[in-house]
Amino acid sequence: MIQPVIAIHGGAGAMSRAAMSPEKEQEYLSALESILTAGQAVLARGGSALDAVTEAVRLLEDCPLFNAGHGAVFTSAGTHELDAAIMDGATLRSGAIANVNCVRNPVFAARKVMETSKHVLFVGEGAEAFAKEAGLEIVDPSYFSTEARREQLLRVQRETPEAAVLDHDGQAMVARGQPAPADPLDADKKFGTVGAVAVDAQGNLAAATSTGGITNKQVGRVGDAPLIGAGTYASNKTCAVSTTGTGEMFIRMVAAYDVAAQMEYCGASLETAADRVVMEKLPTIGGKGGLVAVDAQGNVALPFNTEGMYRGYARVGEKPVTAIYR
């Protein structure tokens, strides 16, 4: 009998311990734990892995601490472009949307694409029209904005105007006498994707990923999160994976699928395959970040090659485990 389990991530990046107060650390850990508890509850009452990852990612989207949905980062034009994907390991059905700015919960739109459309990926106006037709909650784009994210954009544009900002050493800012960032993983250059993976009591796997992109990104850019095989993948034969990091590198490495492929073709364990992708293969092209993964036996892997990654997992019947640093 499989013990159902869910794992989540809320982004990876450079550690800035000087910016970290015990209160701020607890705020993040508490948010992760409450979201894990909600996903765990879905599995505990016999719910599907699909429902569990959908609920976890919905809550991550609604939490302004993370870069997805409410609290999404700004593009170079001061707008929001949201992406999401979901995949069912039992059937390999999947759905994704990219570059939307009015769908409150992009993960719901991705799931509607999977369940009611013959297609996998919708983008921009077409994705928004699909979501409206599906009856999903539509909001004014200002709903996604927070003052902290706007200040982040202005700071990045002032300090590194050409950069689409990914990773940053908060310690260096403090050493230069600049104010410490409020985010324990420097939010200016944190890989802000959220995601969830789960295996349910029936042995079915699922993965979902959602993101607001990267601060100051060029309008129209799409990263790995909504791309099946790059940022999101699930197959009952192997594992479910959700990634966070330098999206372009994860796309080039087809990172999420690579974990599953090593398990299927080489007989690698989940831990070995996930570690190889994150710690050995991605760094060869400058890929930074991490992933969360579960396999059909309920094993969990949460590797990352940055200083920290917001992460956690919860097995049914056990207390959730959360962490930020190594």
Side-chain angles (χ1 to χ4, degrees):
M1 183 70 178
I2 293 165
Q3 185 181 14
V5 61
I6 183 168
I8 65 173
H9 68 77
M15 187 187 321
S16 52
R17 284 197 182 280
M20 171 75 107
S21 68
E23 295 77 22
K24 178 58 71 173
E25 180 173 14
Q26 194 52 54
E27 188 179 356
Y28 277 89
L29 293 174
S30 295
L32 290 168
E33 182 169 347
S34 70
I35 292 164
L36 280 168
T37 300
Q40 182 185 49
V42 173
L43 296 171
R45 58 176 178 261
S48 69
L50 264 178
D51 285 346
V53 299
T54 301
E55 177 65 0
V57 172
R58 175 188 76 82
L59 292 168
L60 285 159
E61 288 175 343
D62 285 350
C63 180
L65 292 174
F66 303 105
N67 171 27
H70 179 56
V73 299
F74 287 87
T75 69
S76 59
T79 56
H80 298 288
E81 293 182 342
L82 311 175
D83 310 329
I86 193 166
M87 188 164 183
D88 178 4
T91 62
L92 302 188
R93 290 186 309 158
S94 44
I97 53 106
N99 285 0
V100 301
N101 68 9
C102 64
V103 182
R104 173 173 170 155
N105 289 108
V107 71
F108 285 172
R111 184 154 177 181
K112 282 287 186 185
V113 172
M114 180 184 75
E115 293 180 335
T116 68
S117 159
K118 62 185 178 184
H119 305 302
V120 170
L121 174 63
F122 284 88
V123 302
E125 291 179 8
E128 291 169 359
F130 177 88
K132 289 172 184 173
E133 196 173 316
L136 298 180
E137 185 174 356
I138 302 300
V139 295
D140 187 88
S142 63
Y143 162 80
F144 302 109
S145 305
T146 63
E147 200 50 45
R149 296 297 191 200
R150 192 178 298 280
E151 288 171 5
Q152 188 178 316
L153 173 68
L154 296 175
R155 188 163 62 245
V156 167
Q157 289 181 333
R158 187 170 64 242
E159 294 177 11
T160 49
E162 299 307 310
V165 178
L166 288 176
D167 197 4
H168 187 91
D169 182 0
Q171 301 277 26
M173 288 180 69
V174 176
R176 294 198 302 269
Q178 292 172 263
D183 192 324
L185 301 183
D186 183 357
D188 284 359
K189 304 193 175 183
K190 175 169 69 72
F191 312 126
T193 303
V194 306
V197 293
V199 60
D200 59 32
Q202 288 70 49
N204 293 319
L205 291 158
T209 312
S210 183
T211 187
I214 52 178
T215 299
N216 203 38
K217 73 162 186 151
Q218 191 168 338
V219 171
R221 176 263 187 190
V222 176
D224 62 316
L227 301 185
I228 301 303
T232 307
Y233 190 75
S235 169
N236 279 11
K237 291 169 70 174
T238 50
C239 62
V241 182
S242 175
T243 74
T244 174
T246 41
E248 283 72 11
M249 311 312 177
F250 281 68
I251 293 169
R252 288 162 56 188
M253 282 285 184
V254 202
Y257 177 69
D258 193 359
V259 178
Q262 290 184 52
M263 294 176 69
E264 183 171 359
Y265 302 136
C266 305
S269 69
L270 177 73
E271 183 178 20
T272 297
D275 278 352
R276 192 176 290 149
V277 168
V278 173
M279 310 308 287
E280 297 176 24
K281 298 182 76 171
L282 279 163
T284 64
I285 57 169
K288 294 182 179 179
L291 59 82
V292 295
V294 299
D295 67 15
Q297 287 71 50
N299 297 305
V300 175
L302 308 101
F304 55 98
N305 62 29
T306 49
E307 293 292 340
M309 180 171 76
Y310 298 112
R311 65 198 186 278
Y313 65 92
R315 299 185 188 281
V316 167
E318 297 180 11
K319 182 174 168 52
V321 175
T322 61
I324 299 173
Y325 305 118
R326 295 201 176 282

